């Protein structure tokens, strides 16, 4: 008899409140367009209303649907490409900063069969649906890596780990949640502090990449560069008027 198949991991939806608002505004726009097209508005305003409704519906609705696609499909594809940026031996200790429900954490754990993967977060539900340590631990179980995954509650501005604890630090779409540049700088300093000499950092985010690259360089990291696909950044920056500019910054601690 074959062993029972585990349910698929569930990494939640990012920024669920923003997604809900986008879809509601998009639906309202389409409703205005449809009622104007059906002749339910006075003739003088029907034309402009139909155009405005159609634009609102397609733009907001499209972005809301894209955010769902990104959380459910796009991020799962991207995580492997991001982890390919680290030359793994399989024995590393890796830290996922702002791990949420464990998207990067569990995939990193698969790369280190003889190592360990630690995820740290403060579990803000506004940033990811169903965000709690139990959900992360359950995803590790479903991915078959629970034996080498540890989930820790802690703030990225004050990581609860000793200096030089990790061979690699990864972080995906988490640091921008710190709204003050000084706080983001503290988080970068903590990532550099907990890295071992020779350790690698892979920081993927939706904003602030020039700041991150300059910050890591000032902290003494070397080989600091942007590693995200330029076409995606340019396209999404244009479609969101600069609100969403996904890219990646990588670097290495000398030693
Ligand atoms: C959009 S979610 C991304 C989660 C996960 N990295 C992913 O890509 O699926 C952002 C995460 O950052 C976490 N976060 C926000 N501020 C934080 C802080 N100061 N320290 C640690 N984690 C934080 C949130 O709780 C949330 O889990």
């Amino acid at each position: 008899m074959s062993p029972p198949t585990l349910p698929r991991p569930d990494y939640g939806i990012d920024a669920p409140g923003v997604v809900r608002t986008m879809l509601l505004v998009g639906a309202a726009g389409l409703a205005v367009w449809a009622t104007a097209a059906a002749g339910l508005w006075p003739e003088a305003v029907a034309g402009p209303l139909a155009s405005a409704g159609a634009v609102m519906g397609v733009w907001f609705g499209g972005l809301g649907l894209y955010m769902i696609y990104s959380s459910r499909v796009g991020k799962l594809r991207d995580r492997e490409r991001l982890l390919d940026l680290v030359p793994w031996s399989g024995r590393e200790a890796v830290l996922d900063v702002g791990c949420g429900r464990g998207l990067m954490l569990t995939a990193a754990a698969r790369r280190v069969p003889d190592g360990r993967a630690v995820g740290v977060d403060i579990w803000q539900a506004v940033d990811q649906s169903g965000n709690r340590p139990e959900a992360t631990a359950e995803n590790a179980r479903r991915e078959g890596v629970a034996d080498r995954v540890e989930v820790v509650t802690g703030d990225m501005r004050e990581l609860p780990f000793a200096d030089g604890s990790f061979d690699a630090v990864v972080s995906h779409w988490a640091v921008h949640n710190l709204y003050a540049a000084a706080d983001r700088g503290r988080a970068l300093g903590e990532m550099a502090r907990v890295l071992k000499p020779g350790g690698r950092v892979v920081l993927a985010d939706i904003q602030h990449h020039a700041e991150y690259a300059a910050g890591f360089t000032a902290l003494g990291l070397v080989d600091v560069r942007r590693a995200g696909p330029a076409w995606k950044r340019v396209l999404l920056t244009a479609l969101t008027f600069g609100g969403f500019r996904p890219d990646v910054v990588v670097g290495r601690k000398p030693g």
Side-chain angles (χ1 to χ4, degrees), residues 200-201 217 220-226 249-254:
R200 311 270 178 157
V201 66
T217 303
L221 267 59
V222 295
D223 302 336
V224 176
R225 65 183 172 88
R226 309 267 287 259
V249 176
V250 297
R252 181 171 62 81
K253 193 164 178 173

Side-chain angles (χ1 to χ4, degrees), residues 75 98-100 121 123-124 127-128 131 155-156 172-173 177:
K75 285 191 353 174
C99 63
D121 205 298
W123 321 110
Q124 296 191 143
D127 294 333
Q128 189 161 70
N131 200 5
D155 193 307
M156 64 174 90
H172 187 266
W173 294 11
N177 289 304

